[in-house]
């Protein structure tokens, strides 16, 4: 019995040293690529992203939105990056995703990474890292930790977007339900809504609040009236589909807690989903808590890590795409 026990321990120790114990290397973790043939992957991605962010102040908002839209449909598997094949539209073709941008940046990062270490770094990890790095660029410090080791999915269907991706038209109950399905709570819902502090929105995402809120040609009474009038000037009815406005007025390129201040103090949440955060007691308490940059940055970082872990593919599930737009 003793000999058998010693042999079992030796076998287990060997498996640990060889890195093949069940689950080893199959769970996203910090610095995953340090132990691969591409140990400098994260630095490479950061350098490329920062070089692009230097010339595009909107890049953080673009990539953050793509990452968010990816994770809520099939998890963080880069399915949002796949192009249409055959007759079935991919996630990109779904209406909520038609205004996404930054795909060319991910393509370029992938090309450069593949040139240095082919077949090692997934598109899902590139998207998660680049989104973090682009938002972090103005601060010259990383705003949240990104665990890596994700694999890429090979299914992307436009039909799966509605019903999974929260909408700017959603009420609080719907938002809470959709976030809960992904393992995210009210604190995460409010913190991640803070991403609306950067970026722009097309008029169609909120024009109903201005001109036909209840179907009677009325305006949403929860929206600041002066703010609404300024929005009407920018987005007349009917609006030019290409017209955009800042989600956080006068602060749309600055990642800060201003979104929460104008939301709760001035009723200037642009979307119905923003205003919905003020219709629940627990949500309001979180909004108040996040009115300071320090609190917002801390909670946003924690919620981004949770979001980045939604239904990730690891181990033998998924693949490492050679081209982020097509499966291997």
């Amino acid at each position: 019995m003793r000999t058998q026990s010693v042999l079992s321990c030796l076998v287990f120790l060997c498996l640990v040293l060889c890195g093949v114990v069940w689950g080893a290397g199959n769970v996203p973790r910090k610095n995953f690529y340090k132990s691969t043939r591409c140990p400098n992957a994260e630095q490479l991605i950061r350098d490329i992203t920062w070089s692009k962010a230097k010339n595009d102040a909107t890049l953080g908002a673009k990539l953050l939105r793509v990452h968010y839209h990816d994770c809520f449909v099939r998890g963080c598997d880069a399915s949002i990056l796949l192009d249409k094949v055959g007759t079935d539209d991919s996630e990109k073709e779904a209406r909520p995703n038609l205004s996404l941008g930054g795909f060319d940046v991910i393509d370029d990062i992938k090309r450069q990474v593949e040139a240095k270490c082919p077949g090692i770094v997934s598109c899902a990890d590139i998207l998660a890292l680049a989104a973090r790095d682009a938002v972090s660029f103005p601060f010259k410090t990383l705003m949240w930790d990104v665990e890596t080791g994700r694999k890429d999915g090979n299914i992307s269907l436009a039909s799966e977007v509605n019903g999974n991706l929260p909408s700017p038209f959603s009420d609080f109950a719907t938002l809470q339900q959709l976030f809960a399905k992904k393992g995210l709570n009210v604190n995460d819902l409010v913190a991640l809504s803070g991403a609306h502090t950067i970026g722009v929105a097309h008029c169609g995402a909120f024009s109903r609040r201005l001109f036909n809120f209840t179907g009677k040609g009325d305006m949403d009474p929860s929206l600041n009236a002066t703010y609404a009038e300024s929005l009407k000037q920018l987005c007349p009815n009917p609006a030019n589909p290409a017209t955009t406005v800042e989600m956080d007025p006068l602060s749309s390129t600055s990642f800060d807690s201003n979104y929460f201040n104008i939301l709760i103090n001035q009723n200037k949440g642009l979307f119905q989903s923003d205003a919905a955060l003020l219709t629940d007691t627990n949500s309001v308490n979180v909004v108040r808590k996040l009115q300071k940059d320090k609190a917002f940055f801390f909670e946003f970082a924690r919620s981004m890590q949770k979001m980045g872990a939604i239904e990730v593919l690891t181990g033998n599930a998924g693949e490492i795409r050679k081209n982020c737009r097509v499966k291997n």
Side-chain angles (χ1 to χ4, degrees), residues 111-261:
R111 278 193 295 268
Q112 294 190 51
V113 171
E114 284 292 303
K116 288 187 176 294
C117 31
I120 304 296
V121 185
S122 69
C123 297
D125 279 345
I126 288 175
L127 177 55
L129 289 164
R132 186 272 311 272
D133 295 344
V135 172
S136 301
F137 173 70
F139 301 94
K140 296 300 188 289
T141 186
L142 301 180
M143 300 292 287
W144 63 89
D145 291 330
V146 174
E147 295 181 330
T148 45
R150 300 169 186 78
K151 291 291 185 68
D152 299 323
N154 54 23
I155 298 174
S156 182
L157 298 170
S159 60
E160 294 184 340
V161 173
N162 291 331
N164 281 300
L165 185 66
S167 159
F169 309 108
S170 298
D171 59 19
F172 184 81
T174 302
L175 291 171
Q176 185 176 26
Q177 181 183 36
L178 289 174
F179 272 70
K181 280 172 58 179
K182 306 302 178 182
L184 302 173
N185 58 30
V186 171
N187 195 80
D188 301 314
L189 164 58
V190 177
L192 292 174
S193 294
H196 292 170
T197 190
I198 53 175
V200 298
H202 289 264
C203 297
F206 59 86
S207 61
R208 189 169 66 188
R209 298 187 73 196
L210 303 176
F211 300 106
N212 198 27
F213 185 59
T214 65
K216 299 177 181 179
D218 55 341
M219 190 184 79
D220 183 350
S222 70
L223 186 62
N224 180 296
T226 303
Y227 180 45
E229 289 304 319
S230 68
L231 290 174
K232 288 180 179 180
Q233 296 299 314
L234 296 169
C235 297
N237 189 28
N240 183 335
T243 302
T244 61
V245 303
E246 295 177 293
M247 290 192 286
D248 188 348
L250 305 179
S251 184
S252 64
T253 59
S254 178
F255 191 83
D256 54 33
S257 59
N258 190 58
Y259 163 83
F260 297 103
N261 288 310

